């Protein structure tokens, strides 16, 4: 069976022949048009099926994104519960056969007022460089608008 492209080429060739005065090509033209109609109908059916699949995939993607968010929320809740439980354990550390649970201290920069941060700590895309700000604060520099805050986070190994 000819492709749609081939059928279009044959139609153009027969059209030129008719325009040039050749006779008796109407039956050939009709059979090619019929084949083209069948081909177009087939393409349309495939397109409808693919579009239906696309809509189904979009819906499935949305469903999976919602499921992922719910799972992430459940993991966060479980980690929060584990964190709270470790606060009650002496030394904030617990070792089992499979895991070692502990709370570890870390520091992060808390921006109190962005307008007070010196320009040297602001990146060109108007983001504050917390890494550089953190280094400066750890080196004892006093920077208006920022301070180091000690945090604890759950560590699972």
């Amino acid at each position: 069976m000819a492709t749609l492209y081939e059928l279009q080429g044959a139609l153009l060739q027969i059209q030129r022949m008719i325009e040039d005065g050749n006779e008796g090509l109407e039956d050939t033209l009709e059979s090619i048009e019929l084949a083209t109609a069948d081909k177009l109908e087939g393409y349309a059916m495939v397109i409808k099926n693919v579009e239906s699949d696309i809509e189904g995939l979009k819906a499935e993607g949305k469903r999976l994104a919602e499921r992922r968010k719910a799972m992430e929320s459940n993991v966060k809740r479980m980690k929060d519960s584990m964190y709270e439980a470790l606060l009650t354990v002496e030394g904030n550390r617990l070792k089992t056969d499979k895991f070692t649970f502990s709370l570890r201290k870390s520091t992060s920069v808390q921006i109190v007022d962005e307008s007070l941060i010196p320009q040297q700590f602001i990146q060109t895309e108007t983001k504050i460089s917390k890494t550089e700000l953190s280094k400066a604060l750890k080196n004892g520099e006093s920077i208006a608008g920022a301070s180091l805050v000690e945090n604890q986070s759950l560590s699972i190994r």
Side-chain angles (χ1 to χ4, degrees):
M1 178 171 264
T3 66
L4 189 58
Y5 180 77
E6 293 168 343
L7 290 172
Q8 287 173 329
L11 281 170
L12 287 174
Q13 186 177 7
I14 290 174
Q15 180 181 344
R16 284 190 203 113
M17 292 171 71
I18 292 172
E19 289 171 357
D20 290 340
N22 293 329
E23 294 183 15
L25 298 172
E26 289 80 12
D27 290 339
T28 308
L29 182 60
E30 192 174 307
S31 69
I32 291 176
E33 285 177 354
L34 189 60
T36 302
D38 290 342
K39 189 66 81 170
L40 290 174
E41 191 172 81
Y43 274 41
M45 290 171 61
V46 169
I47 288 170
K48 287 291 182 188
N49 286 337
V50 170
E51 286 175 342
S52 175
D53 289 347
I54 290 169
E55 290 305 312
L57 290 171
K58 283 180 183 178
E60 183 68 4
K62 182 179 176 186
R63 186 188 69 78
L64 289 173
E66 289 170 357
R67 184 172 178 210
R68 176 188 51 83
K69 286 177 187 175
M71 291 171 77
E72 288 172 345
S73 178
N74 287 336
V75 166
K76 184 182 180 327
R77 255 193 317 278
M78 286 189 286
K79 284 184 175 182
D80 288 346
S81 293
M82 293 169 71
Y83 177 87
E84 293 296 323
L86 280 176
L87 288 175
T88 65
V89 174
E90 185 179 333
N92 299 340
R93 182 177 174 89
L94 182 67
K95 185 171 175 83
T96 67
D97 291 338
K98 295 182 182 178
F99 299 101
T100 299
F101 304 93
S102 64
L103 298 181
R104 64 185 157 107
K105 293 184 179 188
S106 63
T107 58
S108 63
V109 175
Q110 181 179 5
I111 306 299
V112 179
D113 186 351
E114 285 187 26
S115 65
L116 299 175
I117 304 297
Q119 195 64 31
Q120 72 189 49
F121 299 108
I122 299 176
Q123 297 176 348
T124 55
E125 64 267 9
T126 65
K127 284 186 177 181
I128 296 171
S129 173
K130 286 188 176 182
T131 303
E132 293 299 316
L133 193 53
S134 176
K135 287 178 187 176
L137 289 169
K138 285 179 181 177
N139 287 334
E141 290 184 39
S142 178
I143 300 169
S147 64
L148 282 177
V149 179
E150 193 170 292
N151 300 315
Q152 291 188 42
S153 61
L154 177 64
S155 172
I156 301 173
R157 290 187 248 172

